[in-house]
Each structure stands twice: as C-alpha cells, then as structure tokens.
C-alpha cells in the first residue's frame, strides 16, 4: 500500500488549523471581561493653540453627572461608544474616542473645542467664541484670550468675529500683543494693545491681514525706535498709510 504523503500532509495541516481555530475562538471568547472590573480610567486631553477649559477632573465629573463614569464597573457592562456619545454632549468637547484594554483600563482621548475670543457685548452677552463660530458658555476658568467688546450681536460674532479671532490666534505676535477688540456702532473696530498707551483704529474689518502686516512693520521698525507711548491714536484704516496722533504732554 502506497501512502499518498501529499494528501496526508494536507489532512494533517487541516486538522492542525482546525484545532488552532478552536483554541483561538475559545480563548477569544473566554469571559475575561466578566471577571474583571474597570481598575483605571486614563484621560488624554489634546491641547491646541490655546489652553482650553477642560482638565481631567472636569471630564470625570461630567461622566459622573451623566452616570457614565466606568471606574469599578464590570468591563462587560462598559460600552465605549456610549461614553463617547456622552462626552460629545459637552459644550467644550469637539470629539471623543474611548476604548477598553484587556488589563481592565478605559482609555479616553478628547479633542477640545478651541476658544478664540471672549465676547462681552454692550447688550449684556458674555460668552466664549470657538473656532467654528459656536458660543461656549462662560466658565469659572480664566483664559488669557482677547476680549471683544462693544456693539456685537450674536450673528456678528459668528460671521465677522470668528474669522478675525482665528487670524489673531494663529499669529503669535498679535495673540500676545492684542488685549481687546472694540466694535463701534458703525461696525468699525478699535484695538487695545497690551503694550503701549495708544488705541489702534482698524476701520471696517476688511483686508485685515494686510492692515495687521502694515501695523506689525510699524511696531517693529517705528514704535520700537520712537517709543511705545509716543502716540495716543494710530490708524491703519486706509491702504498704504499709517496715521498717528501724538500723545499730549
């Protein structure tokens, strides 16, 4: 009797593969999660160009308030997707991702909404504006943001101030130099700097980047030589010129 080694080898390999699959499926379905509880909740908050408002304790408190904090709960009862959905309901969270590990940990990664301006309007509104034009309620956390004051409706904040805030916050020089934007009744703007005792008149917020480029050159090569307190009023309203009013002695 001649043994068909090729056929025998194939059969042996099939049996070995079947045994491996059975063991793998058994191990995969082993109720590890049933026997374990969540021993740790790891929270990673991604930072952007600004610090934002959230810290780890805020996230824990928010989950507890919504009965979604997983610590000490059985792992098989924890649904990472549900935790993500709860976190996305926060006005300060742009996105949330959650997963569990075989060691009994729940890992949460958050991306915050980026606050770009604080609005304190003449009509009594007081809120933060994020980089998508959404309004974030005032919080107990101080944030070193530019403040926008004056005649500001919510529509104006979304349509006009949002792109201005994005421009300023992405420019380190102006992010550090500008303290306040004041919107006048006719829609024109003034800027209050952090350094110097002058007011900068922008006029209508059109061609803002060109106006700021012209002003930055004046700051670097003009005021740095003449003195930061020489002028009381600086206007960059019109193209290709800067009009200065000397400070009265």
């Amino acid at each position: 009797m001649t043994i068909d080694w090729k056929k025998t080898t194939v059969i042996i390999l099939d049996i070995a593969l079947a045994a491996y699959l059975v063991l793998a499926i058994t191990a995969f379905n082993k109720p590890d999660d049933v026997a374990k509880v969540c021993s740790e909740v790891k929270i990673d908050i991604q930072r952007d160009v600004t610090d934002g408002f959230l810290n780890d304790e805020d996230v824990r408190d928010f989950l507890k308030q919504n009965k979604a904090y997983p610590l000490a709960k059985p792992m098989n009862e924890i649904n990472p997707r549900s935790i993500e959905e709860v976190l996305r309901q926060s006005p300060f969270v742009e996105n949330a991702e959650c997963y569990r590990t075989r060691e009994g940990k729940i890992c949460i990664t958050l991306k915050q909404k980026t606050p770009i301006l604080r609005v304190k309007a003449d009509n009594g509104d007081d809120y933060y504006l994020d980089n998508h034009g959404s309004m974030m309620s005032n919080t107990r956390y101080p944030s070193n943001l530019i403040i926008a004051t004056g005649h500001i409706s919510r529509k104006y904040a979304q349509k006009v101030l949002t792109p201005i805030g994005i421009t300023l916050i992405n420019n380190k020089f102006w992010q550090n130099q500008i303290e306040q934007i004041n919107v006048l009744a006719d829609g024109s703007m003034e800027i209050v700097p952090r350094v110097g005792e002058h007011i900068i008149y922008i006029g209508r917020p059109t061609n803002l980047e060109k106006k700021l480029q012209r002003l930055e050159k004046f700051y670097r090569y003009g005021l740095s030589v003449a003195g930061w307190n020489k002028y009381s009023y600086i206007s960059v309203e019109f193209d290709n010129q800067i009009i200065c009013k000397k400070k009265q002695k």
Side-chain angles (χ1 to χ4, degrees):
M1 179 178 178
T2 302
I3 300 175
D4 189 342
W5 290 107
K6 184 176 181 180
K7 184 176 181 181
T8 302
T9 301
V10 171
I11 293 173
I12 293 173
L13 289 174
D14 286 344
I15 293 172
L17 179 60
Y20 170 78
L21 290 174
V22 170
L23 289 172
I25 293 171
T26 303
F28 182 79
N29 290 329
K30 186 178 179 180
D32 285 358
D33 290 344
V34 175
K36 290 184 178 179
V37 296
C38 174
S39 59
E40 183 181 355
V41 179
K42 296 185 66 176
I43 299 172
D44 177 24
I45 302 176
Q46 297 177 353
R47 306 296 176 187
D48 215 316
V49 289
T50 58
D51 291 337
F53 301 112
L54 292 176
N55 58 37
D56 291 6
E57 197 58 37
D58 296 323
V59 177
R60 297 180 200 280
D61 289 344
F62 187 79
L63 289 173
K64 289 174 183 177
Q65 290 169 8
N66 289 273
K67 303 186 186 309
Y69 191 56
L71 187 65
K73 290 185 178 180
M75 292 294 286
N76 67 321
E77 295 180 6
I78 298 172
N79 185 345
R81 302 290 83 80
S82 296
I83 294 175
E84 292 174 354
E85 290 172 5
V86 168
L87 289 170
R88 286 170 186 154
Q89 294 173 11
S90 166
F92 306 111
V93 174
E94 183 172 328
N95 194 26
E97 294 181 358
C98 177
Y99 64 91
R100 54 188 177 183
T101 70
R102 293 180 64 83
E103 292 77 25
K105 297 178 182 179
I106 295 295
C107 300
I108 298 171
T109 301
L110 289 181
K111 180 174 175 56
Q112 298 188 77
K113 290 183 178 178
T114 304
I116 55 173
L117 291 172
R118 181 173 181 179
V119 176
K120 300 187 74 171
D122 287 351
N123 61 13
D125 280 347
D126 186 355
Y127 55 86
Y128 290 89
L129 197 64
D130 75 13
N131 56 325
H132 298 294
S134 299
M135 294 162 194
M136 306 162 68
S137 60
N138 197 352
T139 72
R140 66 184 184 275
Y141 298 107
S143 185
N144 191 28
L145 292 175
I146 297 169
I147 298 175
T149 59
H151 291 68
I152 303 173
S153 66
R154 298 198 170 194
K155 182 177 180 180
Y156 184 90
Q158 291 177 314
K159 300 295 184 182
V160 180
L161 287 183
T162 298
I164 290 175
I166 292 172
T167 297
L168 297 178
I169 208 165
N170 287 318
N171 185 309
K172 282 292 183 183
F173 179 84
W174 292 117
Q175 184 182 352
N176 294 325
Q177 178 62 20
I178 296 176
E179 182 175 45
Q180 180 181 345
I181 297 171
N182 188 48
V183 181
L184 304 179
D186 62 356
S188 60
M189 285 186 179
E190 295 175 331
I191 289 176
V192 180
R194 298 183 192 274
V195 179
E197 298 177 1
H198 52 271
I199 300 295
I200 302 163
Y201 183 67
I202 295 293
R204 296 278 179 174
T206 55
N207 299 319
L208 182 65
E209 290 192 20
K210 289 184 178 180
K211 292 177 180 179
L212 291 176
Q213 287 173 3
R214 193 161 71 249
L215 183 60
E216 183 175 347
K217 289 180 180 178
F218 179 67
Y219 263 51
R220 293 186 185 277
Y221 307 113
L223 285 185
S224 61
V225 176
W228 293 100
N229 298 321
K230 182 174 182 178
Y231 302 108
S232 62
Y233 205 76
I234 300 172
S235 174
V236 293
E237 178 183 12
F238 303 109
D239 291 341
N240 302 318
Q241 61 179 303
I242 297 176
I243 301 172
C244 301
K245 180 180 179 182
K246 284 188 177 181
K247 186 177 180 182
Q248 294 181 351
K249 295 183 179 179

